[in-house]
Amino acid sequence: MKRQLILEDGTFFIGEAFGSTEQKIGEVVFNTGMTGYQEILSDPSYCGQIVTMTYPLIGNYGINRDDFESIEPHIHGFVVKEMCDAPSNWRNEMTLDEYFKEKNIPGLAGVDTRKLTRIIRQYGTLKGMICDADVSVEEAITYLKETKLPRDQVKRVSTKSAYPSPGRGHRVVLVDFGMKHGILRELNKRNCDVIVLPYNATAQDVLRLHPDGVMLSNGPGDPKDVPEAIDMIQGILGRVPLFGICLGHQLFALACGADTEKMKFGHRGSNHPVKHLATGKVAITSQNHGYTVTAESLRHTRLEVTHVALNDGTVEGLRHLDYPAFTVQYHPEASPGPEDANGLFDEFMAMIEQFKKEGEIVHA
């Protein structure tokens, strides 16, 4: 069945429908990864977005639960050049079409995704609608321009209540703003005793658990829409070691007096080069964000830039000059993507151990 993707600038694409026949609106973004579509469509950071993949063939290894990054997908649509309906993978449990039908997500195949990506790169992210082929483009454009996209994505994807992931190592409080399970897996690999808290946990909620360290997760949307988290970070800063990823990085920057801004089309993919300024080492990283910390806003803070993106020079890492706290914009848990930056979790463990040691010296 023919359906269409209509952008608010008047551009439209006709393609073959797969998945749900629901009409959905979302911010249209592109991802440059060649593999990892399961992790991408299940990443809560894509909440409310219509994702297009720049790699042409999608669905060739099907769907399996092992590779998911959340319990439920939160994307509003998926646009591809070619959708494979006969996966070749011994782990396959269902096709992409079957999964999208089950989860009520519309998909569109046979689209010139190269052209769509070039439009987004030139004009920036745009609102779009996946709908039936007989829907009037003019009426759809009017509707899109009048539609305000939701700003409560973090609330929608965060856990509703605290839960443990027990271990015998360091106790880490993981604040869930839309956490990818890869972050939890990396902490579990290091035998951490993890307690996951919802996005609106207070500083008192965190400190009452006597954590050895606090992890700020990734998540969707504008960091300024989560003032509760900024207050919480300010309340724990300096009292416990802190490590933030993606949205957690942006929230940390805001809590320390810096500013953030929306990017033209964001960074989304598993092939973004990032340079560590102290060593000159370049890592190929996995990224998914539409906002960035503005470099000029850091001048009057106690934050130091540790990493920069080589593609556009944006801030990719921060370290506090006075307290045990550091953050990165990219995803060291690499789900999907290369594991070049996986060692940051070990640095977090070392920071916790050093903080404990210094505390023993003070109390000796």
Side-chain angles (χ1 to χ4, degrees):
M1 183 176 72
K2 297 289 184 185
R3 300 195 84 206
Q4 60 182 333
L5 168 68
I6 302 173
L7 303 180
E8 63 179 313
D9 73 342
T11 309
F12 66 95
F13 297 84
I14 302 293
E16 293 291 334
F18 67 93
S20 166
T21 56
E22 186 87 0
Q23 178 174 293
K24 286 285 184 75
I25 290 175
E27 183 181 51
V28 184
V29 300
F30 65 86
N31 185 292
T32 56
M34 294 177 66
T35 60
Y37 59 82
Q38 290 186 99
E39 294 92 333
I40 290 163
L41 65 89
S42 60
D43 181 351
S45 293
Y46 284 111
C47 178
Q49 295 179 324
I50 295 172
V51 182
T52 184
M53 302 296 293
T54 61
Y55 190 71
L57 179 61
I58 301 297
N60 51 311
Y61 49 88
I63 290 289
N64 68 82
R65 288 298 315 175
D66 291 347
D67 293 335
F68 278 19
E69 287 301 309
S70 64
I71 299 298
E72 293 290 336
H74 295 278
I75 64 170
H76 276 194
F78 212 48
V79 179
V80 301
K81 172 65 175 170
E82 181 179 347
M83 200 277 291
C84 177
D85 56 8
S88 178
N89 179 5
W90 65 272
R91 298 165 71 223
N92 174 50
E93 297 171 7
M94 64 178 73
T95 66
L96 196 58
D97 177 47
E98 291 168 336
Y99 180 72
F100 275 21
K101 281 186 169 70
E102 181 181 297
K103 299 300 180 181
N104 201 31
I105 299 170
L108 197 63
V111 170
D112 185 348
T113 52
R114 177 181 170 85
K115 179 180 178 181
L116 175 56
T117 301
R118 287 173 66 90
I119 290 170
I120 297 170
R121 282 181 59 88
Q122 182 175 354
Y123 297 106
T125 49
L126 297 163
K127 284 183 286 187
M129 175 193 295
I130 295 180
C131 56
D132 293 339
D134 59 359
V135 170
S136 162
V137 174
E138 291 74 20
E139 290 179 9
I141 293 168
T142 300
Y143 187 61
L144 281 168
K145 289 182 176 177
E146 292 174 350
T147 299
K148 292 189 183 301
L149 297 178
R151 302 182 69 94
D152 63 343
Q153 294 100 318
V154 169
K155 180 180 180 180
R156 290 161 60 188
V157 301
S158 175
T159 182
K160 299 299 183 280
S161 57
Y163 63 90
S165 181
R168 299 182 65 85
H170 298 305
R171 171 168 286 187
V172 175
V173 166
L174 173 52
V175 186
D176 175 15
F177 302 116
M179 170 190 76
K180 291 206 290 181
H181 287 170
I183 296 174
L184 185 57
R185 286 194 296 269
E186 290 300 329
L187 293 173
N188 291 155
K189 281 180 191 175
R190 289 155 179 84
N191 203 28
C192 293
D193 180 27
V194 183
I195 302 172
V196 182
L197 295 184
Y199 79 98
N200 56 355
T202 65
Q204 290 73 25
D205 293 334
V206 173
L207 296 173
R208 149 181 331 131
L209 296 169
H210 306 290
D212 298 315
V214 174
M215 183 104 218
L216 308 173
S217 86
N218 64 292
D222 186 342
K224 293 175 183 175
D225 291 338
V226 200
E228 311 96 315
I230 297 169
D231 292 341
M232 179 272 293
I233 295 167
Q234 289 172 339
I236 66 172
L237 192 58
R239 303 177 70 176
V240 61
L242 186 151
F243 178 24
I245 291 174
C246 197
L247 181 65
H249 159 84
Q250 298 162 13
L251 290 166
F252 171 73
L254 290 172
C256 294
D259 197 10
T260 57
E261 65 181 359
K262 187 171 176 61
M263 305 174 77
K264 185 176 180 181
F265 49 82
H267 293 166
R268 297 176 180 89
S270 52
N271 43 18
H272 291 253
V274 168
K275 183 177 181 180
H276 185 220
L277 296 179
T279 63
K281 180 181 177 181
V282 175
I284 303 302
T285 67
S286 173
Q287 302 202 20
N288 177 12
H289 61 104
Y291 290 80
T292 186
V293 177
T294 55
E296 59 271 17
S297 73
L298 296 166
R299 291 176 185 165
H300 303 294
T301 71
R302 296 296 292 164
L303 298 177
E304 175 185 57
V305 177
T306 57
H307 299 74
V308 295
L310 291 184
N311 287 338
D312 60 8
T314 50
V315 175
E316 288 286 336
L318 295 169
R319 180 178 72 89
H320 203 287
L321 294 172
D322 303 319
Y323 304 127
F326 71 96
T327 62
V328 290
Q329 180 63 78
Y330 54 90
H331 286 270
E333 82 286 352
S335 299
E339 298 182 352
D340 293 22
N342 196 256
L344 290 177
F345 288 94
D346 297 320
E347 289 185 26
F348 183 42
M349 297 298 105
M351 176 186 282
I352 289 173
E353 288 161 15
Q354 182 63 31
F355 189 77
K356 281 185 170 181
K357 208 173 287 185
E358 290 172 356
E360 289 172 4
I361 293 169
V362 168
H363 291 101

